[in-house]
Amino acid sequence: MTAETTFTRQWMPDLEVRSAGDGRTVEGIAVPYGKPQVIDSRLTEQFARGAFNAQIRAAHRVPFFRDHFGRNGEMGGTLIGRAIELRDDAAGLFTRFRVSRTEKGDETLELIKDGALSELSIGFREGQNRKLPGGVIERRSATLTEVAIVMAGAYGESATVTAVRSADTADRRAQLDQIVATLPVLSADAEALTRASAHGGSNLKYGPGSPLWEYWVGPEGFARYAASPHPWTALRDALISEGVPTSMADGLATNIMQATPAGRALYAKHHGGHAA
């Protein structure tokens, strides 16, 4: 084998379809990190966090296929779209794909919604590897060549397609830009305080670094509560609906709003605080 050999690995996703908008964006964890998997009698491997970081800014170069192989066993099935985002998350490589308006693309989306297609497959070329205790080969770096949604997987429920998202995400981002444009400008001291608080770390289940925290301090989460006449209350209620104990929700809502410049400015606007 050479460094140019293309390998394939499969994982089973949990599919969630969101019906608003046009519903043509598929997203989820394509490659789990730190999960040893027996490939065959000679190879047990796992991927290290950051293995695909060299491609994070070139997501558009990663094609999205229906099936991983052609009918004659050649690499690549039917092209149905491309990646529009790659992101390094603690759980694995987060991917977001746009499915094109083709016959096969439309068919694939319907099969996902019906639960008939439920697994992902990646194609990759190995880069740097190292052997861990017990003989596990850790992929320290690799090149993602393609991702496909397929019938059969090998890794179990580790990589997940978390949603088929719709065009309303773009609408929320446009709404977010309008909201931010109306907020007061923070001073350099206020922005420095925001950055420091955001990187303070936490051991709490819902604190900085948790998936819930990362969502609500991100642009999509911000857009969900920022348009409300009472954004802090809307955020607190949303946190409670996601399982945050009522006794923690008040403080967590405040901390989330204070964790970004836009959230801090919004908090100051609605609660009479000082932005500077």
Side-chain angles (χ1 to χ4, degrees):
M1 294 184 184
T2 69
E4 295 300 310
T5 300
T6 299
F7 302 92
T8 62
R9 301 290 184 262
Q10 294 80 34
W11 291 268
M12 179 179 291
D14 293 325
L15 296 177
E16 175 188 350
V17 177
R18 300 186 182 181
S19 58
D22 65 359
R24 305 196 69 87
T25 304
V26 178
E27 65 178 38
I29 299 295
V31 182
Y33 293 147
K35 180 179 176 63
Q37 177 64 34
V38 176
I39 303 303
D40 56 35
S41 61
R42 297 171 296 174
L43 175 62
T44 298
E45 72 175 11
Q46 69 182 41
F47 286 86
R49 180 170 185 176
F52 299 94
N53 276 0
Q55 294 177 269
I56 294 296
R57 296 184 180 180
H60 63 284
R61 297 182 180 178
V62 179
F64 190 41
F65 285 97
R66 165 72 181 277
D67 299 323
H68 205 74
F69 297 96
R71 290 185 177 181
N72 297 321
E74 70 275 12
M75 284 296 296
T78 303
L79 181 66
I80 59 171
R82 64 178 178 86
I84 57 176
E85 182 182 356
L86 301 176
R87 187 174 73 234
D88 185 47
D89 283 359
L93 179 68
F94 174 86
T95 53
R96 181 175 287 131
F97 301 95
R98 181 69 180 171
V99 178
S100 300
R101 291 186 181 276
T102 63
E103 181 179 355
K104 186 64 73 172
D106 291 345
E107 176 188 271
T108 300
L109 286 171
E110 288 303 310
L111 289 169
I112 292 173
K113 293 174 184 178
D114 291 343
L117 281 178
S118 59
E119 303 181 19
L120 289 177
S121 173
I122 67 163
F124 73 96
R125 292 194 298 270
E126 64 180 341
Q128 295 182 339
N129 302 322
R130 71 170 179 174
K131 181 174 287 189
L132 301 179
V136 175
I137 299 299
E138 183 177 61
R139 308 294 190 184
R140 303 290 295 171
S141 65
T143 300
L144 187 66
T145 59
E146 63 183 75
V147 178
I149 187 157
V150 298
M151 287 291 294
Y155 270 60
E157 299 178 359
S158 296
T160 59
V161 174
T162 55
V164 177
R165 291 187 178 270
S166 56
D168 66 344
T169 298
D171 295 339
R172 281 182 181 169
R173 290 183 182 274
Q175 182 186 46
L176 170 62
D177 291 338
Q178 294 175 354
I179 293 170
V180 172
T182 68
L183 297 177
V185 177
L186 297 185
S187 68
D189 289 343
E191 290 197 8
L193 177 61
T194 296
R195 289 193 296 271
S197 64
H199 291 85
S202 172
N203 292 323
L204 297 177
K205 179 179 180 181
Y206 306 110
S210 68
L212 180 140
W213 175 279
E214 295 299 327
Y215 174 80
W216 287 106
V217 300
E220 185 177 348
F222 180 81
R224 281 185 58 184
Y225 70 82
S228 170
H230 306 287
W232 181 89
T233 301
L235 175 58
R236 180 201 60 190
D237 292 347
L239 293 173
I240 292 173
S241 72
E242 292 195 21
V244 176
T246 303
S247 61
M248 296 176 57
D250 287 9
L252 185 60
T254 299
N255 290 339
I256 286 173
M257 291 188 72
Q258 297 281 355
T260 63
R264 189 174 173 86
L266 187 66
Y267 187 89
K269 179 180 179 180
H270 285 267
H271 294 272
H274 298 289

